[in-house]
Amino acid sequence: MGLTIAQKIIKSHLVSGEMTPGQEISIKIDQTLTQDATGTMAYLEFETMGIERVRTERSVAYIDHNTLQSGFENADDHRYIQSVAKKYGIYFSRPGNGICHQVHLERFGIPGKTLIGSDSHTPTGGGIGMLAFGAGGLDVAVAMGGGAYYITMPKMIKVNLTGKLRPFVTAKDVSLEILRILSVKGGVGYIIEWGGEGVKTLSVPERATITNMGTELGATTSIFPSDETTRAFLKAEGREQDYIPLESDADAVYDRVIDINLSELEPLIAKPHMPDNVVTVSSLKGTKVDQVCIGSCTNSSLLDMLKVAAMLRGRTISPSVSLSISPGSKQVLTMLADCGALTDILASGARVLECACGPCIGMGFSPNSGGVSLRTFNRNFEGRSGTADGKVYLVSPETAVAAALTGEITDPSALDMSIKIDFPDKFRIDDSAVIPPASPKEAKSLEVLRGPNIKKFPDSMPQTDSIKAPLILKVGDNITTDHIMPAGAKILPFRSNIPYLSQFCFGVCDKTFPERAKAAGQSIIVGGTNYGQGSSREHAALVPLYLGVRVVITKSFARIHIANLINAGIMPLTFKNPDDYDKLNQGDTLSIDGVFDGMDSGEMTLINETTGDRIPLVCSYTQRQKDILKAGGLLSYTKKEGK
Ligand code: MIC
Ligand code: SF4
């Protein structure tokens, strides 16, 4: 039987397990990336492992999320990451050099290699044929130390592309179309492989937009073939030697095939507050827009920016709209400057922001009260923009510009406009903002620089054989990590200060949660389906751990979050009968006996001591996961096992 592209890469990197869907496998990781908001924690974890130098082929630390430096906290964290990177063999991409996923694609990504990153959009690398996964910081730390990465062997979806996108219909619309088809949980347990004749019509940045937003489907990762288009991209980056061709075998077997005819798509838009809340742009025609933001790891490539500049050339944005543009990297920004496109952007009245995540992670540019914000980003979760009642819509750069010009939601293909892009076949290569690590000899005498904002980890809590605790918080479906542990300009500086962060835990759902959880000592959370979707931030597990949460019971979990819970030593369990969710009320006292036997048999009984209900729960931990939970988390487990 033939293999898919992803299966081929897994096979060549397999360390343990069988490649049967649903089974745990572990794979060798060639490259890692971190960003600053998750990186500080990942490097603190790496340091506790006592390893002298990273054991990957390439590890890169990016500073891109929290670049405001509104107090000493960020600056200290950046300095800490820079000093750790230098000492332990990691390349350091300075603030201003760009968004991790964009820069990684440009400068470091290699087809056929494996990559994990402490950021959920690491699958962007799939645009260049990498098998790239988002993971918790601890998993990345382990991989930097040479440890394998454990995942459940996914099933395979093939998206078969035919046709060619019409003008003003874009890769972003392809992402929104697949979200419309599959929903934010439709990709859980799958790798999505993009294939078919239509692939040839998409450039690498367009493919990367699509693999980037595969994260919003809940997919384990997404990948494109590596072909002549990939070779041309690598050549333009001066890295043709990194090219290898990659395609699936003709008789490869997929669990599901979805057909999309690119020629039939039209501009799409995701309405507040979920990326799968997708309708056509034309159906919202005329809706007034207050703000437009262009950028993020989804849509900040040179191609995107050149199209934006071409649409803005000689035009002025609507007086009622505030437009921000953040190019994805220094390479993109300097090339826009070189060809004059930056002048077109500035002349239109746009505000050019730093090459960083910026508004996407709530670092400024929050919309006005109740404001409508059209963004080329990948997430429009409630409150993420920094304005609690802001209404964020997700669109392509072309639809974004159309709204910035007209002041209302407008289908860009309905504008009387045609644009022509001169796409260069050689990019401007300048790696001066990437600082290489010290030599192993020099590294020995280097000191790691720490600031006072770096606080200790929450104490680990080994699982006990019986638990009795109150149901401290009951939440619904699709709870995101932005609900559990919000980000944004006010909170992000404290990513290495768990006690401080804890005040904001679940703030979007219930501001009283932190106080109540602390007072309870130990507690249990109950959620609906797809609990923990979104970010890879392990803080969404470490902070609840700090607040005493021992168990989370849901109808289903998102992939990275369930791994982070186990890594933190919090026991994730699911309802055997999802309807039992209704038998639990916030404030009930719950208990579970025989936890260790239950971990082995895969079944436990939850007793609702308040109502007397007995509720069957299920789990399917691997031996390693059981050991991690019993040890009180991956860090204690790793130390104990001497791994
Ligand atoms: C996000 O888009 O939510 C983030 C911020 O990039 C996160 C990482 C983080 O929380 O630091 C992600 O996607 O993993
Ligand atoms: Fe940064 Fe936004 Fe991409 Fe996350 S989704 S990495 S915050 S640009």
Side-chain angles (χ1 to χ4, degrees):
M1 190 177 76
L3 296 178
T4 69
I5 301 169
Q7 288 164 346
K8 288 182 189 185
I9 303 179
I10 291 175
K11 191 170 173 205
S12 63
H13 288 77
L14 196 66
V15 174
S16 68
E18 269 180 38
M19 290 174 52
T20 312
Q23 298 289 313
E24 187 180 62
I25 56 164
S26 71
I27 53 174
K28 180 183 170 300
I29 294 300
D30 301 320
Q31 297 191 346
T32 62
L33 71 80
T34 57
Q35 39 91 338
D36 49 310
T38 52
T40 321
M41 199 54 83
Y43 293 114
L44 287 167
E45 288 157 344
F46 177 76
E47 281 189 287
T48 66
M49 290 175 189
I51 289 164
E52 272 187 20
R53 209 168 169 83
V54 290
R55 297 179 181 151
T56 47
E57 292 174 14
R58 171 88 67 186
S59 287
V60 190
Y62 293 91
I63 306 291
D64 56 355
H65 277 61
N66 197 2
T67 51
L68 276 190
Q69 302 184 329
S70 53
F72 68 92
E73 293 88 356
N74 290 154
D76 281 5
D77 280 1
H78 298 174
R79 195 180 55 152
Y80 164 73
I81 294 177
Q82 182 165 356
S83 65
V84 161
K86 185 132 198 154
K87 187 170 175 69
Y88 292 105
I90 299 149
Y91 287 77
F92 178 75
S93 172
R94 307 180 72 160
N97 194 40
I99 305 174
C100 54
H101 309 304
Q102 175 66 27
V103 178
H104 208 85
L105 198 72
E106 291 168 358
R107 305 304 305 140
F108 301 112
I110 300 179
K113 297 278 183 189
T114 53
L115 163 72
I116 66 168
S118 60
D119 191 281
S120 65
H121 290 101
T122 306
T124 311
I128 206 170
M130 288 196 100
L131 195 67
F133 306 92
L138 198 41
D139 283 325
V140 177
V142 168
M144 285 192 290
Y149 178 50
Y150 287 80
I151 53 167
T152 304
M153 180 68 199
K155 293 194 271 188
M156 298 291 315
I157 291 181
K158 176 167 184 181
V159 186
N160 193 32
L161 295 177
T162 52
K164 187 174 184 322
L165 292 168
R166 291 178 294 125
F168 296 105
V169 187
T170 70
K172 180 61 156 276
D173 300 306
V174 179
S175 292
L176 294 172
E177 172 69 359
I178 191 75
L179 272 155
R180 194 185 61 73
I181 298 171
L182 285 175
S183 90
V184 289
K185 39 184 186 288
V188 176
Y190 289 96
I191 291 181
I192 302 186
E193 219 166 274
W194 294 78
E197 277 303 297
V199 163
K200 292 202 187 94
T201 68
L202 298 173
S203 64
V204 164
E206 290 174 301
R207 297 174 186 186
T209 293
I210 294 171
T211 53
N212 174 284
M213 275 195 84
T215 300
E216 276 50 63
L217 299 163
T220 304
T221 189
S222 305
I223 191 164
F224 271 83
S226 171
D227 56 12
E228 285 308 312
T229 307
T230 321
R231 186 206 288 271
F233 177 84
L234 286 167
K235 190 169 175 206
E237 287 288 350
R239 307 198 284 123
E240 196 180 358
Q241 72 281 6
D242 287 339
Y243 173 74
I244 56 156
L246 276 174
E247 59 180 358
S248 57
D249 292 331
D251 54 348
V253 179
Y254 293 87
D255 299 280
R256 181 169 174 193
V257 178
I258 296 170
D259 291 304
I260 295 182
N261 183 343
L262 296 172
S263 318
E264 284 172 2
L265 290 183
E266 63 174 295
L268 298 172
I269 184 166
K271 298 196 291 179
H273 298 286
M274 273 296 144
D276 61 357
N277 202 0
V278 175
V279 296
T280 60
V281 173
S282 58
S283 71
L284 298 182
K285 181 173 181 288
T287 308
K288 291 273 169 273
V289 173
D290 300 292
Q291 183 194 61
V292 174
C293 303
I294 300 177
S296 92
C297 55
T298 318
N299 278 121
S300 60
S301 66
L302 182 65
L303 180 67
D304 284 330
M305 293 294 152
L306 286 176
K307 287 198 222 161
V308 166
M311 286 180 76
L312 290 174
R313 186 169 304 142
R315 299 184 173 90
T316 310
I317 59 168
S318 160
S320 58
V321 172
S322 174
L323 168 65
S324 78
I325 299 186
S326 340
S329 68
K330 188 174 110 176
Q331 180 179 81
V332 172
L333 181 55
T334 45
M335 289 184 72
L336 290 175
D338 286 348
C339 73
L342 184 60
T343 310
D344 295 327
I345 290 176
L346 289 169
S348 73
R351 293 164 62 184
V352 176
L353 308 184
E354 196 176 13
C355 304
C357 300
C360 179
I361 190 57
M363 297 304 285
F365 228 79
S366 300
N368 53 291
S369 299
V372 169
S373 179
L374 258 60
R375 301 178 160 210
T376 67
F377 308 165
N378 45 40
R379 291 182 171 153
N380 56 348
F381 302 147
E382 200 174 359
R384 183 174 160 101
S385 66
T387 301
D389 60 358
K391 299 189 193 72
V392 176
Y393 293 72
L394 305 177
V395 295
S396 70
E398 285 82 335
T399 302
V401 177
L405 291 172
T406 60
E408 51 190 48
I409 296 182
T410 305
D411 182 337
S413 58
L415 291 174
D416 186 18
M417 201 188 272
S418 70
I419 53 167
K420 203 185 145 292
I421 307 292
D422 285 325
F423 200 73
D425 52 16
K426 187 151 179 25
F427 298 146
R428 191 190 225 266
I429 295 153
D430 168 11
D431 289 329
S432 58
V434 178
I435 302 176
S439 68
K441 194 162 158 254
E442 193 198 331
K444 283 208 168 43
S445 58
L446 289 180
E447 199 196 329
V448 172
L449 306 171
R450 286 164 224 279
N453 186 40
I454 295 182
K455 296 280 186 279
K456 96 182 220 326
F457 294 112
D459 288 329
S460 71
M461 285 199 272
Q463 281 301 334
T464 44
D465 198 36
S466 63
I467 296 166
K468 184 169 173 180
L471 195 178
I472 199 81
L473 185 72
K474 185 176 177 189
V475 287
D477 290 344
N478 290 325
I479 287 295
T480 72
T481 48
D482 278 288
H483 290 103
I484 307 172
M485 197 52 254
K490 296 195 189 97
I491 310 181
L492 263 193
F494 300 94
R495 279 289 181 91
S496 45
N497 186 342
I498 299 288
Y500 184 87
L501 276 186
S502 69
Q503 308 168 56
F504 305 96
C505 189
F506 275 110
V508 188
C509 307
D510 177 353
K511 288 207 167 22
T512 67
F513 170 74
E515 275 313 308
R516 292 190 298 106
K518 250 194 184 150
Q522 293 199 22
S523 58
I524 297 177
I525 291 177
V526 167
T529 55
N530 202 23
Y531 178 89
Q533 69 160 318
S535 158
S536 66
R537 59 189 76 147
E538 57 191 335
H539 305 75
L542 293 175
V543 171
L545 171 71
Y546 172 80
L547 291 171
V549 176
R550 309 300 318 277
V551 179
V552 180
I553 305 168
T554 67
K555 294 185 189 175
S556 68
F557 288 94
R559 180 186 74 89
I560 305 177
H561 188 61
I562 193 172
N564 284 340
L565 286 173
I566 294 173
N567 285 352
I570 297 178
M571 190 161 65
L573 294 165
T574 42
F575 293 104
K576 187 167 185 184
N577 312 311
D579 291 347
D580 284 343
Y581 169 88
D582 299 324
K583 292 189 183 150
L584 298 172
N585 295 305
Q586 195 163 306
D588 290 351
T589 300
L590 309 179
S591 67
I592 308 173
D593 287 326
V595 168
F596 297 149
D597 283 348
M599 282 183 178
D600 288 334
S601 66
E603 304 223 350
M604 294 185 201
T605 304
L606 178 77
I607 300 171
N608 186 338
E609 310 241 347
T610 308
T611 62
D613 282 323
R614 296 173 67 84
I615 296 170
L617 302 175
V618 288
C619 57
S620 54
Y621 306 130
T622 62
Q623 189 53 46
R624 180 177 161 274
Q625 289 173 328
K626 287 181 229 168
D627 293 341
I628 292 174
L629 286 170
K630 285 183 189 162
L634 182 56
L635 218 49
S636 318
Y637 165 81
T638 311
K639 278 192 211 151
K640 214 164 117 194
E641 300 285 306
K643 298 208 170 172

